[in-house]
Amino acid sequence: LTVIVGLLIHGGVVYMAMVKLFAKLNPVWFLKKMRPVQLLAFSTSSSNATLPLNIENAEERIGIKSEIASFVLPLGATINMDGTSLYQTVAAVFIAQVFNIDLTFADLLTIILTATLASIGSAGVPGSGMIMLAIVLTSVGIPVEGIALIMGPDRILDMCRTAVNVTGDATVTSIIAKQEGKLVPIE
C-alpha cells in the first residue's frame, strides 16, 4: 500500500503539477491522452515494450513534434525509473524491518542514493527491479534473502510503477517540447 500511495502521489500530484506549470497543459486532458500508453505499460510491465506506442501517442494524440518525442522518450525509457526507485526504497526499509535491522539516517540516505542509481541502470523489462534490489539491500547490509518476502506482490507493483514511469517520460517530453516550441496540443 505504501508503494501504491507513493506512486499515486508521484504520478498524480508531482507529474501533473509539472504538466500544468511547465508544459502548460491541462492535467486531466494529458491523462486522457496518456491512457492507451499507461494501459499497455500496466499490462506489460515494460517501458521498452511501451516505447513505440508512447512515441506515437506523444506525436499524434498530444502534439509533440517527432524530433523531440523520438529523442526524449527513448532516453526516458532508459533512465527515468523513478517508480522503481520509490519501490526499491520502500522494499528495502520493509525488509530491514522484517529482519529487525535498525537503519540509521546515513543508511536511509544510502538506500535512497543506491535505489536511484540502481533504477537508472535497470532494464525496462518485467522483473529487472528485483535484481537491482539486491544491490540496494547489499549496500546497507540487509540480507538479500529478504527479496523472497516481496516476490508475491512484486508483479502487481511492477505494473503500477511502469505506468508511472511512462507517464513521467511523456511529462518530461511535453515540458521539453513546450520549451522548444515543438508542442501543439491536439484536441
Side-chain angles (χ1 to χ4, degrees), residues 13 19 31 38 41 67 78 83 88 93 105 112 116 125 156 173:
V13 177
V19 163
L31 286 173
Q38 291 170 329
E67 60 264 23
T78 304
Q88 289 176 344
V93 171
F105 184 71
I112 292 168
T116 302
V125 296
I156 294 167
T173 304

Side-chain angles (χ1 to χ4, degrees), residues 108-152:
L108 292 173
L109 288 178
T110 301
I111 288 171
I112 292 168
L113 178 65
T114 308
T116 302
L117 294 174
S119 69
I120 290 170
S122 209
V125 296
S128 64
M130 291 295 273
I131 296 165
M132 298 311 247
L133 181 57
I135 296 169
V136 176
L137 296 176
T138 303
S139 72
V140 290
I142 300 171
V144 177
E145 296 82 15
I147 291 176
L149 298 169
I150 59 171
M151 284 184 138

